[in-house]
Amino acid sequence: MSQIIPVIIDTDMGVDDAYAVMLAFSSPLLKVIGITTCFGNVDVDSSSKNVMKILELLDKHARVAKGAAGPLLGKNRNYSNARGAFLHGKDGLGNVGYMLPEPVHLEVDLDAVSYMASLIRNQDSKVTIVSLAPLTNVATLLLAYPDIRDRIDGIAMMGGSVFGGNMLPAGEANIVADPEAAQIVLQSGVRIVMCGLEAADSAYFVKDDIEMFRLIGGRTGRFYYDLSKDYLTATEKLTGERRAVIYDSVPVAWLINPAVLRTRPCYVEVDLNGQYTRACTVTDENCAERSPNAMVAFSLDRELFLKMHTEAFRQYG
Ligand code: RIB
Ligand code: CA
């Protein structure tokens, strides 16, 4: 029997984050010991509210601590008025967050970073951080509490890419939102699995998949069907393909079943100064001059990814 993995999920609670949280809570292999929120798809207050709404929908419990409202340096790249709102809806929940009751779930009165540190310190075994947002909270944790690094088993992050970008030509959204934070995390020496755009290329659901979730997933499946409608349409407008790319479920799926990804050890550095390439995660597969600092995902088994979500929705049904 595999050992249960204690995880902290750091999220900017958009549509794909909601799938990731649903998947995480469905697995007996993961124990979500806390959730922290960040700016990104929406502002951090909306992110917190969305987490609490989804937890109540799933009838799952975790304490929620609010984190960064903007990046470590520079102006706030809050996508709620840009890409985030376009893809995830102004509310971050596909413009259907109103369908869920106002949350009664209370936020902890600690900030996200202090809460992460407290959770990690008080856990008997090492904790895995699942990062589904800009890395601002995680970077601040590592800077503020350097002693805590050896209590972290690893960071499974959605972010970056070997080639290309989805927010900038060479920038993936979570890295673009706070490149300095990403560089701090990648250079921290903590074990990292970088689930970037190469894995996300296959981490998608089409309408028939989401229709199936609706049929088998009870109230949760029905809500996620509504949650995904505008996301499907917005993605089609952006990319020409009518598919819901569920980026954030990738690190969660990997924690549950590593066979879902093909990964390779690489040395990854974030370009902080390029005029056109700032936020690019420059990925060296050969590691000729530097030792690997991340396991990088190069492909994802879509059939297994879909199967894992189908089994999860069946549970909620
Ligand atoms: O590039 C995809 C990432 O940006 C995902 O985490 C998505 O939720 C958005 O935050
Ligand atoms: Ca996210």
Side-chain angles (χ1 to χ4, degrees):
M1 171 72 179
S2 308
Q3 196 175 6
I4 291 179
I5 304 169
V7 301
I8 295 171
I9 296 176
D10 190 57
T11 174
D12 57 345
M13 213 42 170
V15 173
D16 60 326
D17 302 69
Y19 275 88
V21 167
M22 179 281 301
L23 183 66
F25 276 102
S26 74
S27 170
L29 293 179
L30 305 184
K31 179 171 181 265
V32 180
I33 60 173
I35 298 180
T36 52
T37 60
C38 186
F39 79 100
N41 291 321
V42 285
D43 62 272
V44 67
D45 290 313
S46 302
S47 180
S48 294
K49 185 173 168 183
N50 291 348
V51 169
M52 293 183 273
K53 284 191 166 190
I54 291 293
L55 286 177
E56 287 177 20
L57 169 72
L58 302 176
D59 193 22
K60 299 292 181 182
H61 306 286
R63 302 183 76 192
V64 181
K66 187 159 62 180
L72 292 178
L73 309 175
K75 73 182 180 66
N76 182 347
R77 289 296 301 265
N78 185 335
Y79 305 161
S80 61
N81 52 17
R83 178 182 186 274
F86 178 73
L87 268 175
H88 300 271
K90 285 193 173 24
D91 65 355
L93 290 180
N95 296 312
V96 297
Y98 69 87
M99 292 180 178
L100 298 177
E102 285 306 301
V104 293
H105 200 96
L106 297 177
E107 272 175 14
V108 292
D109 53 12
L110 270 179
D111 65 278
V113 172
S114 310
Y115 186 50
M116 278 175 163
S118 152
L119 285 170
I120 292 166
R121 286 212 167 94
N122 295 323
Q123 195 69 29
D124 294 340
S125 54
K126 289 189 177 186
V127 172
T128 296
I129 295 175
V130 176
S131 171
L132 309 177
L135 286 149
T136 315
N137 292 334
V138 181
T140 308
L141 172 77
L142 295 173
L143 290 174
Y145 304 98
D147 62 298
I148 214 158
R149 295 179 192 203
D150 64 5
R151 300 291 305 138
I152 298 170
D153 193 33
I155 299 168
M157 60 176 272
M158 190 285 133
S161 62
V162 180
F163 299 105
N166 63 354
M167 176 76 189
L168 296 174
E172 179 278 322
N174 285 336
I175 311 299
V176 168
D178 195 341
E180 280 74 16
Q183 175 68 345
I184 288 164
V185 172
L186 280 160
Q187 302 310 323
S188 67
V190 175
R191 275 192 330 148
I192 291 170
V193 176
M194 186 176 103
C195 305
L197 298 184
E198 284 69 31
D201 277 349
S202 308
Y204 65 85
F205 301 131
V206 293
K207 195 154 182 339
D208 288 353
D209 301 326
I210 299 168
E211 178 67 46
M212 174 185 51
F213 298 156
R214 185 173 71 85
L215 295 173
I216 64 173
R219 181 163 171 256
T220 296
R222 289 192 294 276
F223 177 76
Y224 275 66
Y225 176 83
D226 291 326
L227 174 73
S228 312
K229 275 194 277 194
D230 288 1
Y231 190 63
L232 272 167
T233 306
T235 306
E236 186 175 23
K237 283 180 185 160
L238 265 187
T239 67
E241 297 185 299
R242 191 164 180 74
R243 53 176 59 169
V245 181
I246 309 299
Y247 302 87
D248 286 339
S249 276
V250 176
V252 174
W254 176 82
L255 276 173
I256 296 167
N257 183 352
V260 76
L261 287 181
R262 183 173 66 81
T263 59
R264 289 193 57 192
C266 297
Y267 175 70
V268 184
E269 179 112 26
V270 180
D271 179 350
L272 300 177
N273 305 302
Q275 185 177 355
Y276 304 110
T277 55
R278 174 167 156 79
C280 174
T281 46
V282 182
T283 303
D284 178 357
E285 296 177 54
N286 303 308
C287 295
E289 295 171 2
R290 300 288 298 263
S291 305
N293 59 350
M295 291 302 287
V296 175
F298 280 75
S299 65
L300 171 133
D301 178 336
R302 183 175 119 75
E303 195 178 325
L304 177 54
F305 186 73
L306 175 58
K307 180 170 177 284
M308 293 171 80
H309 285 78
T310 305
E311 287 167 2
F313 276 107
R314 210 183 296 284
Q315 273 192 48
Y316 291 101

